[in-house]
Amino acid sequence: MALLTLDSVSVAYGSQTILKDLKLDVEKGQLLSLLGPSGCGKTTTLRLIAGFMEAQQGTFRFAGEDYTRRPVNKRNFGIVFQSYALFPHLSVFDNVAFGLRMRKLKDSDIKTRVGRILEVVSLGGFEKRFPKELSGGQRQRVAIARALVIEPDLLLFDEPLSNLDANLRSGMRVEIRRIQQELGITTLYVSHDQEECFSISDRVAVMNKGLIEQIDRPETIFKYPATEFVARFIGFHNFVNFAERAESDGVITLRAGDRLFAAVGNPGTNHPSALKGAIRPDDLVVTAGSEAGPARVGSLPGIVKVSTYLGRSYQYVVETALGPFTANQEMEKPFYSGQSVTLQFPPDKLVLVD
Amino acid sequence: MKKSVLYGLLLPGLLFLGIFMVVPIVLTIGSTFYRGGSLTLSGYAHFFEDSYFNQILLTTVGISLITTLLCVALGFPTAYYISRKKARSKGILLAIAIFPLLTSPIVRSFSWMIILGRKGLINDVIVGLGLAEKPLDILYTPTAIVIGLTHLFLPIMIISLVGVLENIDTDLVQAAQSLGASRLSAFARIVFPLALPGLVIGAVIVFVGSLTAYTTPALLGGKQRVISTFLYQNAMTLNDWFLASVIAVIMIAITFIVVGLMNRATHQFNPKG
């Protein structure tokens, strides 16, 4: 049974629905992230689990108990805030010790536990500093230590890396994952950054307008987004609306206009009637010249409209009979605007979405 | 800009303060140690030996302390409520809180005379409800002074508290709660220490203001003297400028002592405040 279960949870402000019949399970020891654009309900979900707000409908069960109306201070969840929320008038030691003092531990125990956790986040020797005297990354680690030292049943991260610069972010990401796995703490992680979520999570839930669009392993979501929204969010810029589909021997043949395309289909996820195809700019292959002879399956002639240099590759916007497509291609000599080209859609890269 | 030019900008203000404040204060202080052509402490000795003077001093300090405590007790919840409001309603509520400051203290004292008098609103209600047989003596007592001064200074306490409270991130309170603190304990350990700088500024202004207030105690205090009215009486009615100066210096000393004590208290609660 799942450690954490949200069952048909709804939240609304006035007439505005924030969460609609949300269902979510998290297994013990897992790191699940909630990914989505701002306003998708991911932060609301986190605040609800933390206890800062209540579900208007539905229940939140944790470790077999009803937590729906349990007060924040009786939940034993560690929370790392986007702003870190370090107490500015307390030293690093007192910040980390706060939760232990609330639990009325003996001073000697507090001292050992704070010391040990500061070692875990590599901040030994910083006990007497004040938050003002720390860098962004150090504050972040104090916030994590403060949440961890109470040995929480659940760890919650609210966009913890958004205030750090790019270099620190990737370092902290690895650090968070290491600590989480080392201590085996069930963790919920909220972010709008897909790279961040994919790199550290066991499972990712992509949210949109108060609903979970897809929840799966990062690799699966990356390769096989289930819906158009998820596909767009994780970088599928090209979409094709097909008119009909036929399936034989595990290969799906699709028709759009007078062109035929093939797709392998998504293992695990079933889209028996999906008629929308999605493909990443990186996966489209651009070749020079419009083809002669009969149309081949999976190819589409077009004309280069815009050509931009991305550093490692060139990006083209190609106008075709099925609309514009964006394609990235690594090459020595770029195509020029106005040149006739042909787009190839590899069957294993063309994904069908709802 | 050159440094000398920057210093030059300070000059007009410094000259004004120097001529009209520092010099008179120094002269006043000096004059209290100099009598009959020789240095002496007799002015102070005389003051502290006289029980009538001592009683006035203690009453004044007592009234100021109680007023300060009342302003804190009444102002803190109000300020906390205002500080948690959105910008728009915060502005409106603050304007309402500050509104009494726009009327003159004299007008306000007269209003209190009408309300607190033997035939005033309060006594009408008390007698009408049968809580007491005869009207209570509220007007012309220290109680009336405390009520008037609290009314006078509460807006200042509220403004100065809202200033610090609105800068306390709600995340801090939530973080404390998530770590196991009850609402009360989150308030005591996080909100209160962080609000102390504003609380101390407010308290100093209220205390010093109450200590030196003249109009309110003069109108509401009746025969009850406080330091400022006593000073006025000595200077203007009795023409004893020496004693008036001694009183003035004692008032300044008390102010400095109180400010120093409060600063030390803040530092203990909030070393990085």
Side-chain angles (χ1 to χ4, degrees):
Chain A
M1 210 187 93
L3 177 72
L4 179 160
T5 307
L6 288 182
D7 194 8
S8 309
V9 164
S10 298
V11 171
Y13 291 127
S15 61
Q16 200 186 355
T17 309
I18 312 291
L19 297 178
K20 208 162 69 191
D21 257 350
L22 187 82
K23 292 182 179 66
L24 182 69
D25 285 326
V26 186
E27 303 291 334
K28 197 169 165 58
Q30 266 196 351
L31 195 155
L32 174 98
S33 35
L34 301 174
L35 172 65
S38 62
C40 71
K42 56 188 194 298
T43 300
T44 305
T45 309
L46 185 97
R47 294 175 55 78
L48 192 129
I49 290 171
F52 298 138
M53 53 190 300
E54 245 177 45
Q56 283 148 342
Q57 274 164 34
T59 51
F60 163 36
R61 299 182 66 77
F62 189 84
E65 283 179 65
D66 188 354
Y67 267 54
T68 318
R69 281 176 225 305
R70 184 181 282 240
V72 188
N73 56 337
K74 299 275 189 305
R75 290 193 186 204
N76 198 36
F77 294 168
I79 303 167
V80 179
F81 292 81
Q82 184 171 10
S83 62
Y84 313 142
L86 298 181
F87 307 131
H89 60 302
L90 299 180
S91 66
V92 168
F93 181 91
D94 289 331
N95 260 283
V96 178
F98 191 91
L100 300 177
R101 296 221 165 97
M102 288 297 121
R103 283 161 180 72
K104 306 229 159 35
L105 261 67
K106 274 193 302 185
D107 276 352
S108 55
D109 292 348
I110 291 177
K111 214 167 169 200
T112 23
R113 277 174 71 171
V114 171
R116 206 166 26 179
I117 207 74
L118 284 177
E119 290 300 328
V120 172
V121 297
S122 334
L123 276 181
F126 282 73
E127 285 86 347
K128 290 206 173 73
R129 302 272 194 102
F130 281 83
K132 259 185 229 164
E133 303 162 347
L134 301 176
S135 71
Q138 290 167 339
R139 283 180 209 180
Q140 168 79 81
R141 287 200 291 244
V142 176
I144 294 175
R146 188 178 67 177
L148 282 174
V149 79
I150 59 172
E151 294 175 0
D153 298 323
L154 180 71
L155 195 53
L156 302 168
F157 286 97
D158 183 13
E159 306 247 7
L161 305 182
S162 57
N163 288 330
L164 297 178
D165 60 50
N167 281 336
L168 265 170
R169 216 174 315 175
S170 56
M172 253 350 266
R173 208 156 70 192
V174 177
E175 192 87 331
I176 288 177
R177 184 56 163 164
R178 173 183 69 82
I179 294 168
Q180 188 263 335
Q181 286 186 330
E182 225 168 79
L183 306 177
I185 297 183
T186 317
T187 303
L188 205 68
Y189 190 99
V190 162
S191 175
H192 63 272
D193 182 325
Q194 51 143 320
E195 192 187 323
E196 200 176 303
C197 285
F198 283 5
S199 64
I200 64 169
S201 309
D202 295 303
R203 286 199 307 156
V204 175
V206 185
M207 291 186 73
N208 179 33
K209 293 183 184 156
L211 288 170
I212 292 179
E213 294 256 340
Q214 185 174 11
I215 176 162
D216 221 320
R217 292 174 50 238
E219 295 88 335
T220 312
I221 293 181
F222 191 80
K223 274 191 195 144
Y224 304 110
T227 65
E228 186 183 345
F229 172 82
V230 177
R232 264 186 212 290
F233 195 74
I234 61 173
F236 286 75
H237 288 309
N238 302 305
F239 292 88
V240 193
N241 289 308
F242 296 112
E244 56 182 339
R245 60 183 274 172
E247 198 169 341
S248 68
D249 296 338
V251 176
I252 304 164
T253 313
L254 302 129
R255 185 180 64 77
D258 59 352
R259 317 292 307 191
L260 290 177
F261 297 86
V264 179
N266 319 345
T269 40
N270 254 332
H271 301 281
S273 58
L275 278 172
K276 181 161 275 190
I279 189 160
R280 282 198 161 84
D282 281 342
D283 294 333
L284 273 174
V285 181
V286 193
T287 52
S290 53
E291 57 189 10
R296 280 189 300 135
V297 170
S299 74
L300 182 65
I303 292 167
V304 174
K305 285 286 169 199
V306 188
S307 162
T308 46
Y309 181 52
L310 298 183
R312 216 178 53 195
S313 60
Y314 287 90
Q315 181 167 75
Y316 303 106
V317 177
V318 179
E319 191 62 47
T320 73
L322 298 176
F325 284 86
T326 309
N328 299 343
Q329 186 105 335
E330 281 182 51
M331 56 202 310
E332 288 297 318
K333 262 182 74 180
F335 300 123
Y336 52 88
S337 296
Q339 190 174 352
S340 291
V341 293
T342 303
L343 296 174
Q344 311 284 347
F345 293 69
D348 57 332
K349 298 290 164 59
L350 184 59
V351 176
L352 292 175
V353 297
D354 282 329
Chain B
M1 225 186 287
K2 270 193 190 165
K3 262 207 168 133
S4 53
V5 179
L6 278 176
Y7 285 131
L9 292 175
L10 271 176
L11 209 61
L14 274 182
L15 273 180
F16 183 85
L17 281 180
I19 295 172
F20 295 109
M21 199 178 125
V22 178
V23 171
I25 287 180
V26 169
L27 287 179
T28 305
I29 294 176
S31 72
T32 61
F33 296 105
Y34 191 75
R35 184 163 228 200
S38 60
L39 285 176
T40 172
L41 283 173
S42 69
Y44 296 95
H46 177 59
F47 184 93
F48 288 111
E49 274 161 14
D50 190 314
S51 66
Y52 177 62
F53 297 170
N54 280 335
Q55 183 262 326
I56 290 175
L57 184 64
L58 281 178
T59 310
T60 312
V61 172
I63 284 173
S64 304
L65 274 179
I66 294 170
T67 303
T68 309
L69 288 177
L70 270 177
C71 281
V72 172
L74 296 174
F76 213 113
T78 316
Y80 194 67
Y81 177 81
I82 294 176
S83 71
R84 297 293 113 180
K85 285 282 166 190
K86 293 214 175 76
R88 199 182 139 75
S89 30
K90 194 188 286 176
I92 296 171
L93 287 170
L94 261 183
I96 294 173
I98 295 166
F99 192 71
L101 282 182
L102 302 179
T103 48
S104 122
I106 301 180
V107 174
R108 287 200 264 171
S109 294
F110 277 124
S111 314
W112 279 113
M113 289 168 80
I114 296 169
I115 296 170
L116 298 175
R118 288 182 69 84
K119 296 224 165 116
L121 183 70
I122 304 248
N123 272 321
D124 278 356
V125 171
I126 289 175
V127 174
L129 289 174
L131 295 174
E133 279 177 24
K134 285 189 299 178
L136 302 175
D137 287 321
I138 308 174
L139 191 59
Y140 306 135
T141 63
T143 312
I145 302 178
V146 167
I147 293 174
L149 287 175
T150 304
H151 183 221
L152 191 65
F153 289 119
L154 189 55
I156 290 171
M157 182 58 100
I158 292 175
I159 297 170
S160 113
L161 280 172
V162 168
V164 283
L165 287 172
E166 69 184 352
N167 286 325
I168 300 177
D169 195 345
T170 30
D171 278 0
L172 295 182
V173 178
Q174 294 186 334
Q177 287 180 305
S178 77
L179 291 166
S182 63
R183 274 166 192 278
L184 191 69
S185 138
F187 178 85
R189 285 163 181 269
I190 307 301
V191 177
F192 185 74
L194 290 174
L196 259 184
L199 186 77
V200 167
I201 291 171
V204 166
I205 297 176
V206 173
F207 184 84
V208 174
S210 303
L211 198 73
T212 53
Y214 178 79
T215 323
T216 307
L219 292 177
L220 299 178
K223 270 187 291 196
Q224 176 62 55
R225 292 267 165 274
V226 294
I227 305 184
S228 59
T229 51
F230 185 53
L231 188 154
Y232 178 85
Q233 187 186 31
N234 276 291
M236 294 303 170
T237 319
L238 306 175
N239 230 345
D240 186 348
W241 284 88
F242 180 71
L243 184 54
S245 298
V246 169
I247 298 169
V249 173
I250 290 171
M251 282 169 88
I252 294 173
I254 293 175
T255 306
F256 273 96
I257 292 169
V258 167
V259 173
L261 284 178
M262 284 186 169
N263 266 335
R264 183 178 280 195
T266 327
H267 194 75
Q268 235 159 34
F269 271 102
N270 187 352
K272 288 280 150 177

